[in-house]
Amino acid sequence: MKILVPVKRVIDYNVKPRVKADGSGVDLANVKMSMNPFDEIAVEEAIRLKEAGKAEEIVAISVGPAKAQETLRTALAMGADRAILVETDDEVEPLAVAKILKAIAEEEQPGLVMLGKQAIDDDSNQTGQMLAALMQRPQGTFANTVEIDGDSVIVKREIDGGLETVKLTMPAIVTTDLRLNEPRYASLPNIMKAKKKSLDVKTPADYGVDTAKRLTTTNVAEPPVRQAGEKVEDVDALVMKMKALGIA
Amino acid sequence: MKTLVLVEHDNQSMKDATLSVVTAASKLGEVHLLVAGSSCDAVAQEAAKVAGVGKVHVADDPAYEHGLAENVAPLIAGLMDHHDAFLAPATTTGKNIAPRVAAMLDVMQISDILSVEGEKTFTRPIYAGNAIATVESSDDKLVITVRGTAFDKAEAEGGSAEIEAIGGPGDAGVSSFVSADLAEGGDRPELTSANIIVSGGRALKDGETFEKIITPLADKLGAGIGASRAAVDAGYVPNDYQVGQTGKIVAPEVYIAIGISGAIQHLAGMKDSKTIIAINKDEDAPIFQVADIGLVADLYKAVPELTEKL
Ligand SMILES: Cc1cc2nc3c(=O)[nH]c(=O)nc-3n(C[C@H](O)[C@H](O)[C@H](O)COP(=O)(O)OP(=O)(O)OC[C@H]3O[C@@H](n4cnc5c(N)ncnc54)[C@H](O)[C@@H]3O)c2cc1C
């Protein structure tokens, strides 16, 4: 079985985003960029399935600028076998990303496509579900555990009320949640080896996908800022404050 | 405009999250509800009473019992021949189903809206709520998920909508429900509707300590219990306790953060709370930058004392 793992290059999760003064977006100049953390979890899970003998090949895919090659090299250094960059400098919406991934899936015929549940930049939480719809295949979103069982994959999902387990006929789409695993760091020898792995560069047009945006962002603003309040001396002072608020 | 709202339910009763979505939908136009479930008549009756609802579509079929997206999305896509906008709560149910519907309709979804600014214009948080984007859709139909804390709840009583039974495509045959392991509600308020939330972080050490320190205070206040990702990852509490960018979004009257540093991902889930109280031993912890009331103290001493004195 082959596993496709789409990965996105995003602002590093430790960086506090700054809104541009002209309201056109978030300032990404000279900001540290990394692989979307949920995608790292997806790469890790694919590698673990391969190590367990459940998968033969892992193909990492990114849709984005030339710099996304770095993100793909990270996936390769972690243990993906080869990579495809669908290069574009345009901002590509989840629907168009899903269309590109569908076209790649038609060529590659994977048993699983494993994606992060959301990207921490646009926080859309859409791509995996959209891909599943376009491929007319089942989806196991917000995965907490993933287990291959013959022609099926059993996914335990993190839902608002707790956990839910579903059984999906493969090919299937899985999106990762935080508790699925703890991604490994790439070792130095593996980073060196990753440089020699194959990385194909394509364009959205190669897959016949129109990436024109459906949503126009007319403004990006700072959220209302909260002012820090006051610090109280001790528990007694806190109790007084809470009583004044009408609690307790 | 005619809107269709997904009713979130467990086949017995409607979930509160639905009511905020009704409010958002009513800003766009006429509101129809969809109850997709199995033996879900009680839910349909409840849905019909929601104020401002024109019609309730009920698809009662074993295939819809567990809300599997593979089965429910085609049902919704079919109904969208006669509706202009589909709205679902930004809960794990809505987030699972709505994008599948959007792709079937070739529509780009607008996730987690905070406000309705015009017929096709909405605001939504990006970058963990560190920026608010105003977006305008150019699609013919709209598919939207709604942030519950951003809209008042519609009145649960007062309406008398017509209930219409509908058929649907049924079981897509590619997925099945195996089991659920759901938190037992008990008397404790649900996180997303609690008036007061007591949340614990990594500093609570383990499940037993979390229970010993946090639960008595929450009991005393009749509060819901939340946690940081670190506390969930470490197994102190189950995943559904997680508050934050990638967990639950809450906005209670009072949020009490105990032994939580205040990472941006955590703040994203609670900074719209009315009053934030923080207890942390590090006076420079970022949580104090958003807290209305801060107490720099060792939680092991301060929290039991607080519980006793309240
Ligand atoms: C992709 C991604 C998504 C994420 N999503 C979320 C999310 O949804 N929600 C979330 O919460 N986090 C999320 N995080 C994690 C987030 O970045 C932080 O790591 C996490 O919130 C830290 O949890 P914490 O505050 O409990 O732990 P820490 O940051 O370790 O803070 C512990 C705090 O306890 C204090 N403390 C220690 N001992 C005591 C004591 N005895 N008395 C008083 N205070 C004490 C310390 O001073 C410290 O401030 C996400 C991270 C990533 C990468």
Side-chain angles (χ1 to χ4, degrees):
Chain A
M1 175 181 72
K2 195 188 280 187
I3 306 179
L4 301 188
V5 188
V7 295
K8 186 177 186 185
R9 180 175 184 268
V10 298
I11 190 168
D12 187 84
Y13 80 95
N14 273 312
V15 177
K16 183 164 162 51
R18 300 256 168 249
V19 173
K20 288 193 215 163
D22 65 359
S24 64
V26 164
D27 193 358
L28 295 178
N30 305 314
V31 163
K32 184 177 180 211
M33 304 290 280
S34 301
M35 188 190 298
N36 179 41
F38 288 101
D39 304 347
E40 272 185 332
I41 296 172
V43 175
E44 176 66 34
E45 195 64 15
I47 297 168
R48 290 189 189 184
L49 288 171
K50 188 178 167 190
E51 286 170 348
K54 307 279 187 187
E56 284 82 48
E57 194 187 23
I58 302 166
V59 184
I61 303 164
S62 193
V63 179
K67 283 244 163 118
Q69 290 208 17
E70 290 167 15
T71 313
L72 288 170
R73 291 288 171 202
T74 304
L76 294 169
M78 286 173 74
D81 296 292
R82 62 189 170 86
I84 303 170
L85 172 65
V86 183
E87 191 176 329
T88 168
D89 284 328
D90 298 336
E91 196 186 316
V92 187
E93 291 172 341
L95 181 61
V97 173
K99 288 178 182 176
I100 292 169
L101 295 176
K102 178 194 179 219
I104 295 176
E106 274 165 7
E107 282 176 7
E108 300 281 351
Q109 297 291 320
L112 280 179
V113 184
M114 189 96 73
L115 314 81
K117 77 166 179 181
Q118 86 192 59
I120 60 164
D121 51 2
D122 62 29
D123 283 332
S124 289
N125 196 331
Q126 298 175 0
T127 307
Q129 298 88 315
M130 288 182 157
L131 175 63
L134 298 176
M135 289 174 65
Q136 298 183 294
R137 298 306 311 167
Q139 64 190 49
T141 51
F142 326 141
N144 176 286
T145 55
V146 173
E147 193 191 316
I148 308 290
D149 177 23
D151 295 337
S152 299
V153 56
I154 296 168
V155 180
K156 192 185 274 184
R157 310 176 52 230
E158 294 198 0
I159 59 170
D160 288 340
L163 292 163
E164 177 192 78
T165 305
V166 291
K167 186 170 181 175
L168 316 173
T169 311
M170 293 197 286
I173 286 76
V174 172
T175 77
T176 61
D177 216 320
L178 294 168
R179 261 64 61 179
L180 184 55
N181 61 50
E182 224 174 284
R184 69 193 66 192
Y185 290 103
S187 67
L188 198 56
N190 285 343
I191 293 173
M192 299 312 287
K193 263 192 251 164
K195 293 188 175 151
K196 298 202 191 76
K197 290 183 180 173
S198 135
L199 192 162
D200 278 350
V201 180
K202 303 275 194 182
T203 67
D206 291 336
Y207 299 103
V209 175
D210 175 7
T211 58
K213 291 184 68 176
R214 306 288 188 84
L215 302 180
T216 315
T217 301
T218 53
N219 186 44
V220 175
E222 294 262 8
V225 272
R226 259 195 112 97
Q227 300 301 330
E230 54 178 323
K231 288 204 175 106
V232 292
E233 269 309 303
D234 53 22
V235 171
D236 288 324
L238 178 57
V239 171
M240 295 257 285
K241 287 270 174 203
M242 288 174 73
K243 287 202 166 137
L245 280 171
I247 351 171
Chain B
M1 194 185 296
K2 248 187 177 172
T3 72
L4 182 69
V5 168
L6 180 69
V7 173
E8 180 148 355
H9 65 87
D10 57 6
N11 294 305
Q12 275 143 34
S13 63
M14 186 172 71
K15 298 257 153 92
D16 255 14
T18 314
L19 298 172
S20 313
V21 186
V22 168
T23 301
S26 65
K27 294 182 192 284
L28 291 169
E30 193 182 329
V31 182
H32 289 184
L33 302 185
L34 169 64
V35 177
S38 180
S39 305
C40 52
D41 188 52
V43 181
Q45 299 297 338
E46 206 182 336
K49 289 195 197 119
V50 176
V53 171
K55 193 187 248 184
V56 179
H57 302 275
V58 185
D60 192 331
D61 185 319
Y64 305 133
E65 181 176 357
H66 299 288
L68 291 169
E70 296 78 10
N71 300 350
V72 176
L75 169 71
I76 298 166
L79 285 167
M80 290 307 288
D81 286 345
H82 312 289
H83 295 87
D84 308 297
F86 171 68
L87 297 95
T91 55
T92 49
T93 305
K95 289 173 183 171
N96 188 41
I97 293 172
R100 196 167 175 113
V101 174
M104 292 181 79
L105 301 172
D106 194 30
V107 163
M108 179 53 209
Q109 173 178 311
I110 306 159
S111 294
D112 216 12
I113 63 163
L114 301 173
S115 70
V116 176
E117 300 290 322
E119 265 216 334
K120 296 206 165 183
T121 309
F122 307 89
T123 62
R124 59 175 302 264
I126 53 176
Y127 292 89
N130 283 291
I132 309 296
T134 306
V135 296
E136 188 178 350
S137 171
S138 60
D139 286 316
D140 291 336
K141 307 239 178 215
L142 296 171
V143 175
I144 291 167
T145 60
V146 176
R147 178 170 290 199
T149 54
F151 294 87
D152 291 336
K153 291 185 172 65
E155 293 295 331
E157 302 279 341
S160 55
E162 172 197 349
I163 297 177
E164 186 182 315
I166 55 167
D171 192 342
V174 288
S175 59
S176 55
F177 169 85
V178 177
S179 63
D181 179 3
L182 301 181
E184 282 167 41
D187 290 339
R188 192 166 304 290
E190 214 189 312
L191 212 43
T192 49
S193 52
N195 267 327
I196 304 177
I197 293 174
V198 180
S199 262
R202 194 195 309 271
L204 273 306
K205 281 197 197 115
D206 53 39
E208 206 179 306
T209 314
F210 191 103
E211 167 85 30
K212 203 176 81 199
I213 302 281
I214 301 294
T215 308
L217 177 58
D219 285 346
K220 196 122 193 198
L221 296 169
I225 298 182
S228 70
R229 172 194 173 179
V232 176
D233 280 7
Y236 308 172
V237 288
N239 60 278
D240 48 295
Y241 283 49
Q242 183 182 313
V243 170
Q245 177 188 17
T246 62
K248 285 187 178 141
I249 308 291
V250 300
E253 289 293 312
V254 182
Y255 187 91
I256 309 180
I258 298 174
I260 291 178
S261 61
I264 59 171
Q265 292 86 4
H266 189 78
L267 300 184
M270 44 64 80
K271 70 177 179 202
D272 292 329
S273 305
K274 192 136 178 252
T275 300
I276 297 173
I277 300 175
I279 302 177
N280 196 304
K281 71 173 180 191
D282 172 9
E283 63 174 334
D284 295 323
I287 191 76
F288 287 124
Q289 290 164 21
V290 300
D292 301 283
I293 308 170
L295 176 63
V296 181
D298 181 349
L299 72 89
Y300 291 101
K301 219 185 126 279
V303 178
E305 187 185 336
L306 176 64
T307 306
E308 197 199 298
K309 288 183 173 165
L310 277 172

